[in-house]
Amino acid sequence: MNRLREHIEAITPLTDEEFEYVKTFFTLRKVRKNQFLIHDGDEVKYEFLVLDGIYKVYYIDENGKEHILQFAKKDWWMSDYIGFFKQQNSKMFIECLKEGEVVSLTLEGRNKLAADLHKMDHFFRIKLTNGYIALQQRIMMLLSGTPQQRYEEFVRLYPDLISEVPKKYIAEYLGVSRETLSRLYSNTNK
Amino acid sequence: MNRLREHIEAITPLTDEEFEYVKTFFTLRKVRKNQFLIHDGDEVKYEFLVLDGIYKVYYIDENGKEHILQFAKKDWWMSDYIGFFKQQNSKMFIECLKEGEVVSLTLEGRNKLAADLHKMDHFFRIKLTNGYIALQQRIMMLLSGTPQQRYEEFVRLYPDLISEVPKKYIAEYLGVSRETLSRLYSNTNK
């Protein structure tokens, strides 16, 4: 749980006593490759903070086509946040691409933590702010980003993932063909 | 400022004393049609809560094409949030489509309010949560929404705007041609 404490304290310092209380809300989970943390149609009970490993958050549309919403690695949060915050069933899958560990938190736990500790309300607000900015950047990329810009944005967001995630998933995330991705990749690494 | 109080108290009740303090951070502004609240290249000093009127938040890409990020009406917040939170110059324009009133808040004011009053930290966290959900829905619509689904989402989000905003802007927001929009519009109103 030290990594959880480091993660929170990057935003707000906690006393030992506060952290002892905070950590009672989190559950540590080991995750194997190809394991699902959230499955389309299930109740969304948890959000997850990644301590280790690589994960893919995606959904499948009415025509059976897969769309990747985000990847997640150390220090990223992930869930089907629409389902989580609205307490609806999931429209997403979260699949582990590289084994690791996460801690899970329920919405009830999140709300109680935020209500009990002003520091944690602050922590969640800052995290949401960063998440909001990332989503807005994603929207702008989808609306007007060239393949080159989308690729550069991906490298900026996930510098260590470009070699860790199968190319077909990166192409899917960027909304470009694998041929285009290969071209971008070789241009950038010249 | 009563409308500001109502807006906040829809999420968290305030004492008279607390609201007296809160309102010192906000500045009321009348806005005329076609006036700009934020202009591409300017410092992003404020976020705005709409008390009245209709506004368009958009940017212009490298090829001179306009992209609408959102519309805003009563009880919606708007800014160039990337520029606002990161204190960078704006990449957005906010233009008034129908005259009204807004209150403005600086980032410094926002942070001070949240630090001083746990209730306001809570308020901003809830607002950010709703904003996060809306952006995620927008991303899913952009990735996989059919024109019909995008139109229905727009009507759900902005029920009273469909008759108030010029059709060309709605078509632009949805990423469909004006002919497609007319067809969707007449299908839905049959």
Side-chain angles (χ1 to χ4, degrees):
Chain A
M1 289 283 182
N2 277 345
R3 278 171 295 172
L4 172 63
R5 183 162 185 173
E6 281 165 20
H7 177 80
I8 296 170
E9 293 204 323
I11 288 176
T12 182
L14 296 174
T15 65
D16 289 347
E17 195 185 354
E18 283 166 344
F19 182 68
E20 285 305 308
Y21 180 67
V22 167
K23 83 177 187 192
T24 63
F25 289 86
F26 288 88
T27 306
L28 186 69
R29 249 165 101 165
K30 283 188 182 296
V31 196
R32 298 181 316 280
K33 188 174 172 178
N34 299 328
Q35 191 182 339
F36 286 88
L37 286 171
I38 288 182
H39 198 288
D40 180 12
D42 288 353
E43 197 185 338
V44 184
K45 289 187 190 158
Y46 307 105
E47 63 177 332
F48 302 95
L49 168 65
V50 176
L51 301 181
D52 197 20
I54 298 175
Y55 306 83
K56 179 176 72 151
V57 184
Y58 67 100
Y59 68 98
I60 294 178
D61 71 18
E62 292 165 6
N63 301 314
K65 189 171 184 307
E66 179 180 309
H67 301 274
I68 297 174
L69 201 71
Q70 66 162 111
F71 297 102
K73 59 184 177 81
K74 185 173 182 299
D75 286 324
W76 286 57
W77 290 78
M78 60 187 181
S79 186
D80 173 346
Y81 274 110
I82 296 177
F84 181 72
F85 285 128
K86 294 190 163 186
Q87 297 280 280
Q88 294 170 350
N89 286 350
S90 184
K91 289 181 178 168
M92 301 277 170
F93 298 86
I94 298 185
E95 184 181 355
C96 176
L97 300 182
K98 185 184 170 190
E99 67 167 9
E101 283 185 329
V102 299
V103 283
S104 63
L105 178 64
T106 64
L107 183 62
E108 199 188 348
R110 181 189 177 92
N111 288 339
K112 185 155 169 43
L113 262 180
D116 288 356
L117 279 177
H118 187 174
K119 283 177 181 179
M120 288 304 291
D121 216 343
H122 176 72
F123 170 79
F124 289 125
R125 185 169 62 80
I126 298 299
K127 282 288 157 192
L128 269 169
T129 304
N130 296 341
Y132 189 93
I133 288 172
L135 291 188
Q136 182 161 324
Q137 280 167 333
R138 183 91 201 274
I139 289 173
M140 292 173 74
M141 277 296 141
L142 288 171
L143 284 173
S144 67
T146 63
Q148 180 73 34
Q149 287 168 330
R150 292 180 190 204
Y151 179 78
E152 285 165 8
E153 177 84 357
F154 181 88
V155 172
R156 196 184 59 74
L157 268 179
Y158 306 105
D160 41 352
L161 254 61
I162 207 87
S163 57
E164 299 248 35
V165 169
K167 292 283 181 295
K168 67 173 176 178
Y169 293 148
I170 297 177
E172 186 186 319
Y173 176 88
L174 298 176
V176 302
S177 68
R178 293 191 59 185
E179 292 68 34
T180 303
L181 180 65
S182 298
R183 191 168 42 76
L184 294 170
Y185 189 75
S186 59
N187 281 350
T188 312
N189 292 284
K190 258 173 198 164
Chain B
M1 288 283 183
N2 278 345
R3 279 171 295 171
L4 173 62
R5 183 161 186 174
E6 281 165 21
H7 177 80
I8 297 170
E9 292 205 323
I11 288 176
T12 183
L14 297 173
T15 64
D16 288 348
E17 195 185 353
E18 283 166 344
F19 182 68
E20 285 305 308
Y21 180 66
V22 167
K23 84 178 186 191
T24 62
F25 289 85
F26 289 87
T27 307
L28 185 68
R29 247 163 102 165
K30 284 188 181 295
V31 196
R32 297 181 318 277
K33 188 172 172 178
N34 300 328
Q35 190 181 339
F36 287 87
L37 286 171
I38 288 182
H39 199 287
D40 180 13
D42 287 354
E43 196 185 339
V44 184
K45 290 189 191 158
Y46 307 104
E47 63 178 332
F48 302 95
L49 167 66
V50 176
L51 301 180
D52 197 21
I54 298 176
Y55 307 83
K56 180 175 71 151
V57 184
Y58 67 100
Y59 67 98
I60 294 179
D61 71 20
E62 293 166 5
N63 302 313
K65 189 171 183 308
E66 178 179 310
H67 302 274
I68 297 174
L69 201 72
Q70 66 163 109
F71 296 102
K73 59 184 175 82
K74 186 175 181 295
D75 286 325
W76 286 57
W77 289 77
M78 61 188 181
S79 187
D80 173 346
Y81 273 110
I82 297 179
F84 181 71
F85 285 128
K86 295 190 161 187
Q87 296 281 282
Q88 294 170 349
N89 285 352
S90 184
K91 290 181 178 168
M92 302 276 170
F93 298 87
I94 298 185
E95 184 181 356
C96 176
L97 300 181
K98 186 185 168 188
E99 64 167 10
E101 283 183 330
V102 300
V103 284
S104 64
L105 178 65
T106 64
L107 182 63
E108 198 187 351
R110 180 189 177 95
N111 288 339
K112 183 151 170 48
L113 262 181
D116 289 354
L117 279 179
H118 187 174
K119 283 176 180 178
M120 289 305 291
D121 216 343
H122 176 72
F123 170 80
F124 288 125
R125 184 169 62 80
I126 298 298
K127 282 288 158 191
L128 269 170
T129 303
N130 297 340
Y132 188 93
I133 288 173
L135 291 188
Q136 181 160 326
Q137 281 167 332
R138 183 93 202 271
I139 289 173
M140 292 173 74
M141 277 295 140
L142 288 171
L143 285 172
S144 67
T146 62
Q148 180 72 36
Q149 287 168 331
R150 292 181 189 202
Y151 179 77
E152 285 165 10
E153 176 84 358
F154 181 88
V155 172
R156 195 183 60 72
L157 269 179
Y158 306 105
D160 41 352
L161 253 61
I162 207 85
S163 58
E164 298 247 36
V165 169
K167 293 282 181 295
K168 68 173 177 178
Y169 293 149
I170 298 177
E172 186 186 319
Y173 176 87
L174 298 176
V176 302
S177 69
R178 292 191 60 183
E179 292 67 33
T180 303
L181 180 66
S182 298
R183 191 168 42 76
L184 294 169
Y185 189 75
S186 59
N187 281 348
T188 312
N189 291 285
K190 259 175 195 160

